[in-house]
Amino acid sequence: MRRDVRILLVGDDGVGKSTIVTSLIKESFVPRVQHVVPEVTIPPEVTPENVTTYIVDSGSGDNDRQHLESEIRKAHVICVVYSIDNPNSFDRIPTYWLPYFRQLGVNVPVILVGNKIDLRGGEVTNEALEDEIIPIMNEFKEVETCVECSAKLPLNVSEVFYFAQKAVLHPTAPLYDSRDHVLKKDCVAALRRIFKLCDTNKDGILDASELNEFQRKCFDAPLQAQELEGIKEMVRQHSEGGVRDNGLTEEGFLYLHTIFIQRGRLETTWTVLRKFGYGEDLRLTESFLYPKFDVPHDCSVELSPLGYQFLTVVFENYDKDQDGALNKEELEELFSTSPGNPWAGQKFPDTTVADDTGAVTLQGWLAQWSMTTLLDHRTTLAYLAYLGYPDEPRTDALHVTRPRKVDRRKGKSTRNVFLCYVCGAAGSGKTSLLRAFAGKPFSPTYEPTKKMNSVVNSVDIDGSEKYLVLQEFGSKYEAETLRNPKKTDLADVIVYVHDSSDTNSFSYISNLRQQYSLDHIPTLFVATKSDLDLALQRHEVQPDVYCRRLSLQVPIAVSVKTGQTADVFHAICRVAMNPNSAIPGGADRALTAAARLRTYAKLASMVGGLSTGLYLVFRTFARPVGGQGTWSVGQWLAWLIGSSGGRREL
């Protein structure tokens, strides 16, 4: 919301612009004032809207033209003053002043101010005033309202500036079509969305408790029973279908806001809209959708108990047939208050648990959000807003974990959601493994993975529910991911998959390990297609020997086709929970390698440079390779870099 308002007074000579300003400041009539009163600043604490207000006077002579145009362009609202005893000053509003603003390309609210009502003879009704003003308002949409005052009495002077403030802070134009006397399309859409969010039991009406909660959220005070009955009675009388079963319908809710606006209470509707995150363009603001939420390096984000509780309630409210799953229609209705399903481009619901009809179960729903929060917590933050998370700060629905390096140092992870990269040659069975994890049937048709594929499910570990996210990348993205330390640092586990019936499948894994520095990541090997004949792998050593040399568990043999998955997903979770149990080369290797590298670095700095230091260490520790000669500097550096990553060629 704007924190300052700049009000400009314009009008013909002699209409009383300067006198209105001085009457406001002095709170009494000043008979003689200067041609143009200096700019006045009113501090926020003395204004009803609690904003800093600048009041700017102007002259209309030829000598004032340059200054006038400059101020018109800087103004947030313009008060066009005319004199009651000078009809020509009123006639010039639609013929000169309003076209002049448009000619300058200025589109700000305009307040018409009729001064010197003390000089009017006889009574003038509101209807007569409307007859004069309505034609102007119909032609010039920027005109918000008309206020009559007397700087001499003084009378209604403060109201002039109050309405000017309101025109800026609570503008009519975005909400209401003054010509057709109806709410504008975007306003209707925003209010309908707010109604849906407040209708917590999704029965199409706002009952007393829902209206009270709405009132508390927007205005920090409950509705008194008498007030509530008065509102419903007014709606009953003027809006057919506005009240049903003693509750307010969507039609009644829209009618109420129409009445608020027509009666000049725009601040009521704007307060509601802003409480629900809308800006002046009637779009949800970036600051509302994405509140400040810092995630330190090496930490991940999970849903907190509050987040899981809210998403569970949302699921139950939209499970209309109460079958424990959300079908396509129920999901569409659930996401009707948002831009749409956030997973539409991700093969959802194949990414999580669904029933036989493809409807997403509660387990699958919470798992999908767990994965989304882990991989892209900003999407979760925004959708908590779209779906109507009731309390602030909304960031309480999320939880930041402790750094992975701390987990690995302590040997036990405190996370509840784990990310596992699944790597292997094309056709090795990665996709089938992922499908099995998400409870999808085995597909005998091979389709190469063309883009990153992610699935999620819950895993029960000793009575504690963990969520496991499995990701495969396809040949196009695998190298891009594995060579990027920022991406590999996100993985809690890496699973190497090979086809036990394909003689060349394991070599692909071995080459990956040699090509990329991945041995700091807890590791598990899986041999797929165990229902087929076991093939001798074309590799220096067979997979079981390879794993033993790395102090790792031998490959877990699975057959997705026959449903024999050997509890592999529990094994992955246990590795993630106890990261030091599956570090290639043993739990201490990465730590000792890192310590050795630090020692070398210190030695290098002592002798005046890293390259010189490493060369001296090389001269000291150089040793024969296979008993034939000594290492070259390049060979020794390659060994050192490889050791620091905890990798050993086999």
Side-chain angles (χ1 to χ4, degrees):
M1 183 174 171
R2 186 187 294 276
R3 304 313 306 164
D4 67 308
V5 174
R6 190 173 184 84
I7 303 171
L8 173 65
L9 278 70
V10 305
D12 293 348
D13 283 340
V15 295
K17 302 184 295 298
S18 303
T19 310
I20 290 175
V21 176
T22 54
S23 290
L24 175 74
I25 303 306
K26 302 291 185 180
E27 296 184 346
S28 62
F29 176 62
V30 179
R32 289 185 176 84
V33 296
Q34 61 193 90
H35 174 60
V36 176
V37 175
E39 180 177 314
V40 175
T41 301
I42 301 178
E45 56 269 18
V46 299
T47 65
E49 299 290 349
N50 195 34
V51 294
T52 302
T53 303
Y54 305 97
I55 299 175
V56 182
D57 190 14
S58 68
S60 57
D62 292 339
N63 295 334
D64 302 309
R65 180 56 58 97
Q66 186 174 355
H67 176 260
L68 175 62
E69 290 190 2
S70 172
E71 289 298 339
I72 288 173
R73 289 192 168 95
K74 290 192 291 185
H76 299 144
V77 57
I78 300 174
C79 293
V80 183
V81 182
Y82 64 95
S83 177
I84 296 296
D85 68 336
N86 181 2
N88 185 57
S89 66
F90 178 81
D91 294 339
R92 275 173 46 86
I93 292 173
T95 60
Y96 174 74
W97 286 109
L98 294 174
Y100 179 41
F101 304 151
R102 289 186 174 182
Q103 178 186 340
L104 295 176
V106 172
N107 184 21
V108 297
V110 173
I111 306 295
L112 306 186
V113 180
N115 189 26
K116 305 184 184 181
I117 56 173
D118 52 290
L119 299 180
R120 172 185 285 148
E123 290 291 324
V124 175
T125 63
N126 286 335
E127 289 78 7
L129 180 61
E130 286 183 9
D131 288 343
E132 287 186 320
I133 301 301
I134 291 299
I136 297 177
M137 295 181 71
N138 285 339
E139 183 178 355
F140 298 93
K141 292 295 187 181
E142 54 269 38
V143 176
E144 288 276 325
T145 190
C146 180
V147 185
E148 291 191 333
C149 69
S150 169
K152 185 175 183 178
L153 293 179
L155 179 67
N156 281 355
V157 172
S158 60
E159 281 77 3
V160 169
F161 299 98
Y162 171 67
F163 280 108
Q165 280 185 332
K166 280 183 59 174
V168 177
L169 302 174
H170 313 300
T172 303
L175 308 184
Y176 190 71
D177 189 324
S178 301
R179 180 176 298 166
D180 296 331
H181 305 292
V182 294
L183 297 177
K184 288 189 174 178
K185 181 181 176 181
D186 287 346
C187 179
V188 170
L191 291 173
R192 280 181 172 158
R193 177 178 173 272
I194 291 170
F195 179 90
K196 282 186 176 182
L197 294 178
C198 295
D199 179 18
T200 54
N201 61 6
K202 310 307 172 190
D203 63 353
I205 62 171
L206 298 184
D207 58 28
S209 64
E210 290 167 339
L211 279 169
N212 266 320
E213 179 58 27
F214 166 77
Q215 184 79 5
R216 181 201 64 78
K217 179 180 176 71
C218 296
F219 305 103
D220 298 322
L223 278 170
Q224 299 299 318
Q226 187 175 357
E227 292 176 310
L228 181 58
E229 287 306 315
I231 288 172
K232 288 191 288 191
E233 183 57 34
M234 180 183 70
V235 174
R236 280 193 192 97
Q237 292 179 8
H238 298 93
S239 174
E240 186 177 351
V243 176
R244 189 179 74 241
D245 298 333
N246 207 34
L248 199 65
T249 65
E250 182 183 276
E251 184 179 341
F253 187 71
L254 292 174
Y255 169 76
L256 268 183
H257 284 281
T258 304
I259 290 298
F260 290 150
I261 293 169
Q262 289 176 344
R263 294 182 178 178
R265 290 177 53 190
L266 287 99
E267 65 273 18
T268 301
T269 299
W270 273 116
T271 298
V272 170
L273 290 166
R274 286 169 178 147
K275 283 290 184 181
F276 281 85
Y278 287 93
E280 293 196 9
D281 59 355
L282 294 186
R283 301 287 184 270
L284 294 174
T285 64
E286 284 284 308
S287 60
F288 175 73
L289 291 174
Y290 305 106
K292 183 177 174 57
F293 186 72
D294 295 325
V295 182
H297 173 69
D298 204 33
C299 298
S300 63
V301 183
E302 300 176 357
L303 287 164
S304 71
L306 289 173
Y308 281 116
Q309 180 184 4
F310 170 72
L311 291 169
T312 300
V313 170
V314 170
F315 179 96
E316 292 170 345
N317 284 339
Y318 283 94
D319 181 17
K320 293 299 184 182
D321 53 13
Q322 297 185 341
D323 64 348
L326 297 177
N327 58 38
K328 182 179 178 181
E329 290 73 24
E330 289 168 337
L331 280 169
E332 285 180 357
E333 180 62 21
L334 186 154
F335 286 122
S336 64
T337 59
S338 77
N341 190 324
W343 316 300
Q346 302 174 18
K347 298 184 180 179
F348 178 82
D350 284 351
T351 53
T352 191
V353 183
D355 65 15
D356 294 339
T357 67
V360 180
T361 64
L362 177 59
Q363 176 187 350
W365 169 254
L366 296 179
Q368 183 73 26
W369 278 115
S370 298
M371 176 168 66
T372 300
T373 305
L374 177 70
L375 301 179
D376 181 14
H377 70 271
R378 281 171 57 84
T379 293
T380 298
L381 263 181
Y383 269 78
L384 288 170
Y386 290 134
L387 299 177
Y389 187 79
D391 300 311
E392 292 297 337
R394 197 182 334 126
T395 50
D396 284 350
L398 304 184
H399 164 69
V400 178
T401 69
R402 74 184 184 187
R404 286 178 178 83
K405 63 182 178 183
V406 176
D407 284 348
R408 289 170 185 168
R409 188 170 67 243
K410 293 180 177 292
K412 190 168 183 64
S413 176
T414 57
R415 286 171 159 75
N416 292 306
V417 187
F418 302 111
L419 177 61
C420 172
Y421 289 168
V422 181
C423 300
S428 60
K430 302 186 299 295
T431 302
S432 294
L433 193 67
L434 267 64
R435 284 181 58 82
F437 183 51
K440 303 301 183 285
F442 174 75
S443 174
T445 305
Y446 171 66
E447 293 184 8
T449 301
K450 296 181 179 179
K451 62 179 182 179
M452 188 172 68
N453 183 23
S454 305
V455 301
V456 63
N457 202 343
S458 60
V459 180
D460 186 274
I461 302 290
D462 301 328
S464 175
E465 189 174 56
K466 306 294 182 182
Y467 289 99
L468 178 61
V469 178
L470 302 183
Q471 283 191 336
E472 60 160 329
F473 309 101
S475 57
K476 182 178 180 181
Y477 297 101
E478 187 170 73
E480 175 187 328
T481 301
L482 297 182
R483 74 163 62 101
N484 186 341
K486 289 184 178 179
K487 293 185 178 179
T488 55
D489 284 350
L490 299 176
D492 296 291
V493 187
I494 186 165
V495 169
Y496 295 107
V497 175
H498 75 278
D499 178 354
S500 62
S501 68
D502 181 349
T503 59
N504 297 310
S505 188
F506 192 77
S507 292
Y508 181 89
I509 293 172
S510 177
N511 290 335
L512 272 185
R513 293 193 61 253
Q514 291 183 34
Q515 190 173 359
Y516 304 107
S517 180
L518 304 170
D519 284 0
H520 62 291
I521 307 173
T523 301
L524 195 67
F525 287 80
V526 174
T528 60
K529 307 183 185 180
S530 63
D531 55 305
L532 302 178
D533 292 338
L534 183 65
L536 191 68
Q537 295 294 315
R538 292 194 179 111
H539 193 262
E540 292 88 345
V541 294
Q542 292 305 295
D544 56 338
V545 176
Y546 185 94
C547 289
R548 288 192 186 101
R549 289 186 179 180
L550 288 173
S551 302
L552 296 175
Q553 177 182 348
V554 298
I556 301 175
V558 302
S559 170
V560 174
K561 183 177 181 180
T562 60
Q564 298 172 332
T565 55
D567 230 9
V568 65
F569 307 117
H570 284 78
I572 296 171
C573 258
R574 290 189 186 280
V575 167
M577 292 172 65
N578 302 280
N580 289 349
S581 66
I583 296 294
D588 298 330
R589 181 178 178 191
L591 295 176
T592 56
R596 185 166 59 222
L597 186 62
R598 285 196 296 271
T599 300
Y600 295 156
K602 288 179 181 177
L603 180 58
S605 64
M606 290 173 61
V607 296
L610 181 59
S611 59
T612 304
L614 290 177
Y615 180 74
L616 289 175
V617 174
F618 158 74
R619 296 290 296 170
T620 304
F621 292 101
R623 58 184 179 180
V625 181
Q628 299 182 14
T630 57
W631 280 355
S632 68
V633 175
Q635 287 173 318
W636 186 82
L637 286 174
W639 175 86
L640 176 60
I641 294 168
S643 296
S644 70
R647 183 175 74 248
R648 177 184 299 159
E649 284 193 26
L650 293 172

